[in-house]
Amino acid sequence: MDIELRGISKRFGPVQANQDINLEIRAGEVLGLLGENGAGKSTLMNILSGLYSADTGEILIDGSPAIFTGPGDSIANGIGMVHQHFMLVPVFSVVENVILGVEPTSGVDYLDLEAARAQVQEINTRYGMEVPTDALIEDLPVGIQQRVEILKVLFRSADVLILDEPTAVLTPQEVEEFFTIVRALRDAGKGIVFITHKLHEILEIADRVSVLRQGQIVGQGDPASFSEADLAEMMVGRPVSFSVGRAESTSGDTVLELAGVSLFDAAQDARLVDINLSVHGGEVVGIAGVQGNGQTELVEAITGLSAVTTGEIGFAGQDITRASVRQRHRMGVAHIPEDRHKSGMVGNFTVAENMVLNSYYDESVTSGVQIDWRRVHARAAAACLSYDVRTPSVFLGAGSLSGGNQQKMVVARELERDVRLIVASQPTRGVDVGSIEYIHRQLIACRDRGNAVLIISSELDEILDLSDRIYVMFEGRIAATFDNRGGGADRNAIGLAMAGVSQGTNPGAGRSGNRGSAA
Amino acid sequence: MSGEARSSGPAMSPDMKALLVPAIDSRSSWRELFILPLAAMFLAMLIGALIMMATSVAPETILQSFIAMAHGSVGSIHAISETLTAAIPLVLAGLGIGLAFRAGLFNIGAEGQMVVGGLAAAIASFLVTGLSIWLHLPLVLLVGLAIGAVYAAIAGLLKAATGAHEVISTIMLNLISIRLLDYMLRQPFIQKEGRSDPISKAVLETAELPRILEFLDGNLRLHAGLFIMLAAVAVIYWLLFRSKLGFAFRISGENPGAARYAGIRAGLTIVMAMAIAGALAGLAGAIQVSGVLGRATPGFTAGIGFDAIAVALLGRSHPVGILLAGLLFGALEAGGRQMQVDAGVSIDMIGIMQALIIIFVAAPLLVRRIFPPLFRERPRGGEENG
Ligand SMILES: Nc1ncnc2c1ncn2[C@@H]1O[C@H](COP(=O)(O)OP(=O)(O)OP(=O)(O)O)[C@@H](O)[C@H]1O
Ligand SMILES: [Mg+2]
C-alpha cells in the first residue's frame, strides 16, 4: 500500500506546524523522517493517523483520496501509529492489551481469548518479536512494551506503520533488536515511517529520508548520498559539531560524595550496593551502564527522592543523607529527571508554571505566601529564549510543545538556576542534534564555572563526549571506573564492564553476583 | 510592563515581549465555561419537557412550568433572594470540593462535613451566651469551619498514613455524621426543651446572620452569608492560582510524580487540601444553621453537600465556574419550588434536570455533536489546554 500526502498544511494558533508538505510512503520501504525539535514531524504523522485534521491538503491511499475524521478511520485504512508515549494498560497481559478495542468475540459477547492469543502469537513469531504474550505489561521492560505497541497495530492489520521516535527510550542493544523487527516488517511489504533524532540510525535503516524544517520539507533522498553532517546541517540550517570541545578540567573540592551507599526497595531487594562515588567541582562525571542497573535509584538517592538504607551522602562538606528533596534543591542540587512526563513537567500547566515547578517557593519568585507571576513569566521568557525552547508564548500549555521542546524546557529550568551540582539523567532524550550540542555546551560551561556535573545516560557516546571520569554501573554496583580526561577511556573496556565482564581499572569491579542476595 | 524586569536582568527584547503575550485563544475557555453549560441546560430542559409530555402533562402546563421556573428564580426580588440564598451553601461547599479535586482528591464527604460543622455551630450558638453579635456570630461560624476542617482532615490523615481511599472514608464519615446528628440532637443540652423529637434549641439572636434585604421586605431571606460566599470565591481563587500552597495543590493533583520531584510532601498536601475543603463545607453548614434554619434538625443539610459535588463538576473546579454553577443550581432550586406551586409539576423534575445538565456537561462531545455551529473550531489549535 502506497500513501501520498499532498500539500498538507496545519496551523496551531501562531505556529505553522506543517506547510504545504508533499510526502510519499511506499510499501516495503523505510522512510526516515528527520527534523529539528518542533519541525512538525509528529504533527504530520498525527494528521496521517487521523488524530489531527489538516487545514489543507489531501491524503491519497494507492492513488485515491482518503478522508480521516478520527484515529479509527486511519487504522481501518491500514495506517497504524506507535506513539512515543505508550498507551498500554499496565495490569493487563500482552494479549489483552493487543486486542483491546477489537476483541474477537463469538456468541453474544464471549471473549474468545484463545483465538486472540493464537493470532497474536502468529504475528509475534512471523516478525521475530519474541514478546511473552501472557506476561503483564508492568513486568516488561520498555523495549518489549514498545513491541507490544507494534503488535497492536499489526493485529489491526496495518500496512503502514508510523513509529514516532521509537528509539529514544531504547538502550543501544534494544535498538539493534528493534531494527531486526523493522527489517522483517519491511521485507514483509509494510511501509514504515521512522522518526528519530539519531542520524546514524537513519543511515543504518532508512531506504529514503525526508528532512523537515519549520514545517517544510527541506530535503529528501537516498540516505546513502548523505553524511551525518549533511543531514544535521539540513535539519538545523547550520553546521553542527557532534562533540563539544572540552578543555582540560581543573577539578576542585569534592562537591558530592557517596560513601558505602546501599539502597533496598520495599521488597527488600538491593538496588544499590555499597556505592562509593565522588564528584568534584569543575568536573563532569558520567555514569554508564545498561538501563536498569541502579542508575535510577542512584539518582533518587542523590536527589533525596529515596532514602538510602545504609551509607552516607555528603554535599559540599555537609552530611545530606537525611536531607529532603527541597533542602537539597535549596542547597544547590539541580536535577534533570530521566522521564520528563513522569516527573519533570506537568502537561496541563503553562510553560511558565513548569519553569518554576520545583522552585515556586523560592524568595526570588515570591512575595510572602504569594507567587509573583509577573516575575515568573519574565524569567520563563528569558529562559525560553536562551535555551531555544520553541513556544509561541510562555502561557502555552507545556503539553502542546513538541517533545524535544518539552525536554529543553526541563533542561532550561534546571540549568538556569545557580547551582553547585547538576544531576542530569538522559538530559538530551528526544532532543535534536543542534540542541544536543547546545545542552552539552551548557553542561560543560557549568563545569567550567567550577560546578560539579553528574551525567547518567544510556548513550555511551554522550558519556564519553562529556565526562572527565566515568563510573560503570552493573547490577546496582559500581563495576568499574575510568579516567577520561582528554578522552582517554577505552570504549571497549567500558562496554565490557557494562555487560558485567570483569575488566575495569577498579579493583573491586565486575563482581557479578546476584542482585539482592549479595549484600 | 515596567518595573518587572528587575530580576530578569536586561531590558526586554521584542522576542521576549512576544513570549509574554497570552497564546491561547481565550474563546475556547469561554466556550467551555459558559456556552457548554448553557447548551447543556437547554438540552436538559428539552428532555425535561419530553418527560413531562410522556407523562401526559398538557403542553400549556409545560410552558407554564418553565415560565414559573423563570419567574421563581429571577422574576422578582423575592425570587432572586431565594436563588441567592440557595446558592450560598452550594457555592461554599462546591469550592471545597473543587479545591480538593484540583489537589487530586475526591471529597465525597462535603455533606458530612456540613452536618458536623452545622451541628457544632448550632451548639455554639446557644450554649455560648452573653456575647455581642460582633463576637458571637464570628465565633459560631469559626466553630463550624474548624469542626468541618477537622472532620475532613480525618479522611486526609487516613489516606496519608495508610493509603485508605478518600472516597470510601468520606462516604463512611457521611454516614457517621448523620447518625451522630440524630444522636446529639437528643442530648439534653442540645435538644429543645419540652420536645421529644430530635431538634436543637434555637440559635440565639446574637449568632444569627443578619438578613440583608429586610429593609425592603421582612420576608426576604437573603442573609449576610452572601458576602462570605463572595469572599470565599475570591480567597479560593487566590489560593489556587496565586499562592504557593495552591500551586503545590495543583501540581499534586495533576502529576503526583512531578509533585514528588518538586519536593512537595504528599501526606501534608492531602491533609491540608482535605482540611480546607472541610472548612468550607463546615462553614456552609454553619451558615445554613445561622442564616436560614435557625436550628439544627435531622437532615438539615438536605443533600446540599451532594449537590455541591455536581456544582464543582459543572464549574470545572474553577472558583468562578463554581460560583456560576452554584447560582444556576440555586436558581433551579428556587424556580423548581415555584414550578411546583404554579404548575403542579413535582420538584423532582428539577432534580432530574439538574442531573441531566451534569451529564451533558460531563459529555461535552455529545453537546458538540448536537450543536456543531456553537463549537465550530476555526482552523487553529490549542485544544489540549483544559
Ligand atoms: N496541540 C498543539 N497545540 C498547539 N501547538 C502545537 C500542538 N501540537 C504541536 N504544536 C506545535 O507545532 C509545532 C510542531 O510540533 P511537532 O510536535 O510536530 O514537532 P516535532 O517535529 O515532532 O518535534 P520533536 O522532535 O521535538 O518531537 C511545535 O511548534 C509545537 O509547539
Ligand atoms: Mg515529536
Side-chain angles (χ1 to χ4, degrees), chain A residues 340-460:
Chain A
R340 57 176 175 265
H341 293 280
K342 231 180 242 164
S343 57
M345 58 177 274
V346 177
N348 280 333
F349 279 12
T350 64
V351 171
E353 285 174 318
N354 273 289
M355 281 290 184
V356 290
L357 197 63
N358 53 359
S359 59
Y360 65 89
Y361 54 83
D362 194 82
E363 290 78 22
S364 65
V365 289
T366 54
S367 48
V369 294
Q370 274 201 98
I371 298 176
D372 183 344
W373 285 111
R374 293 221 306 167
R375 257 189 282 169
V376 171
H377 293 147
R379 197 202 256 195
C384 283
L385 282 184
S386 58
Y387 285 82
D388 191 29
V389 179
R390 306 256 170 101
T391 174
S393 156
V394 298
F395 297 94
L396 189 75
S400 44
L401 293 190
S402 82
N405 280 303
Q406 293 173 349
Q407 181 70 18
K408 288 199 270 179
M409 172 184 80
V410 172
V411 171
R413 176 182 73 216
E414 296 306 307
L415 295 191
E416 171 241 30
R417 244 166 24 102
D418 197 15
V419 293
R420 277 298 282 152
L421 169 69
I422 293 157
V423 180
S425 200
Q426 318 292 352
T428 56
R429 180 172 273 177
V431 169
D432 69 43
V433 278
S435 301
I436 289 177
E437 182 191 4
Y438 185 76
I439 291 173
H440 283 178
R441 277 191 206 290
Q442 291 305 312
L443 288 170
I444 295 296
C446 279
R447 177 198 78 159
D448 292 343
R449 286 196 298 274
N451 298 313
V453 180
L454 184 68
I455 293 178
I456 299 89
S457 175
S458 53
E459 297 281 322
L460 192 48

Side-chain angles (χ1 to χ4, degrees), chain B residues 110-125:
Chain B
E111 180 80 2
Q113 293 144 20
M114 273 184 77
V115 168
V116 293
L119 176 65
I123 296 172
S125 76

Side-chain angles (χ1 to χ4, degrees), chain B residues 113-178:
Chain B
Q113 293 144 20
M114 273 184 77
V115 168
V116 293
L119 176 65
I123 296 172
S125 76
F126 52 73
L127 279 193
V128 179
T129 52
L131 293 180
S132 75
I133 186 165
W134 298 108
L135 287 173
H136 198 186
L137 179 59
L139 174 80
V140 163
L141 296 178
L142 276 178
V143 165
L145 181 142
I147 297 297
V150 169
Y151 202 62
I154 296 173
L157 276 172
L158 284 175
K159 176 164 184 140
T162 69
H165 201 286
E166 72 277 9
V167 168
I168 312 274
S169 53
T170 51
I171 288 176
M172 291 306 140
L173 287 167
N174 282 345
L175 292 179
I176 294 172
S177 72
I178 290 164

